[in-house]
Amino acid sequence: MQTASRLAIYALIELAANPDRQISASDIGEKYRVSSHHLAKVFITLGRAGLVQSVRGVGGGYTFTGNAKRLTLLDIISLFEDTSNECKLSDPSVATDEEWELFSVTKEINDMALATYGSITIATLLKQIDRRKASTARRQTASAAS
């Protein structure tokens, strides 16, 4: 997964978790240790896709305008990367059995990755994040009690 795709997913998670709040690119950049300049480029693409809306000026930022229950990771990744899963052999007419086998395995891995990305929504990620936070809090409480 390319950096822009990963940053877009992080940004959308932040915005979808707080749908009534505007969040600045610099706030998101600070949390994920990336430049707000790099995030601004990502936000342009997300805005064109209708997933975020920007408000300029003091107190401005971005809000989530997508549907967290329908927006999959694959939808987001597809905005920044070619997800056609077109694996290629340099010259299939002279490919060896070994090259064909590696091609086959690589294509299968790519197919599984795309299927997984296509089955996970932003809402699903938010639920998983909440479960992880609750689990961490329980462990910390148990550790402090002992």
Side-chain angles (χ1 to χ4, degrees):
M1 181 184 308
Q2 294 177 6
T3 300
S5 297
R6 197 170 53 254
L7 293 178
I9 292 168
Y10 292 154
L12 291 172
I13 287 169
E14 290 298 316
L15 296 173
N18 301 288
D20 299 328
R21 190 172 144 227
Q22 293 176 4
I23 304 174
S24 71
S26 61
D27 286 344
I28 293 171
E30 186 176 314
K31 179 174 181 176
Y32 295 101
R33 301 163 309 281
V34 296
S35 76
S36 56
H37 178 72
H38 196 103
L39 268 172
K41 293 178 185 179
V42 169
F43 275 119
I44 289 170
T45 301
L46 294 175
R48 287 183 183 145
L51 298 175
V52 300
Q53 185 174 20
S54 67
V55 176
R56 296 186 182 272
V58 176
Y62 295 90
T63 56
F64 182 67
T65 56
N67 182 338
K69 291 181 180 178
R70 292 187 171 261
L71 182 64
T72 68
L73 297 183
L74 184 59
D75 295 332
I76 301 163
I77 294 166
S78 296
L79 296 172
F80 300 92
E81 303 175 34
D82 176 12
T83 56
S84 64
N85 197 23
E86 197 174 302
C87 297
K88 295 180 183 173
L89 287 169
S90 54
D91 186 353
S93 66
V94 296
T96 65
D97 289 338
E98 293 81 5
E99 290 171 314
W100 274 109
E101 221 27 65
L102 181 57
F103 166 79
S104 176
V105 168
T106 302
K107 184 168 180 357
E108 184 176 344
I109 291 168
N110 287 342
D111 288 344
M112 288 188 296
L114 291 176
T116 302
Y117 287 139
S119 69
I120 299 173
T121 65
I122 290 295
T124 301
L125 277 182
L126 289 171
K127 288 177 190 171
Q128 291 173 337
I129 291 165
D130 286 343
R131 280 195 289 264
R132 180 179 294 273
K133 287 178 180 178
S135 175
T136 300
R138 282 192 303 272
R139 281 194 308 273
Q140 289 174 344
T141 301
S143 177
S146 54

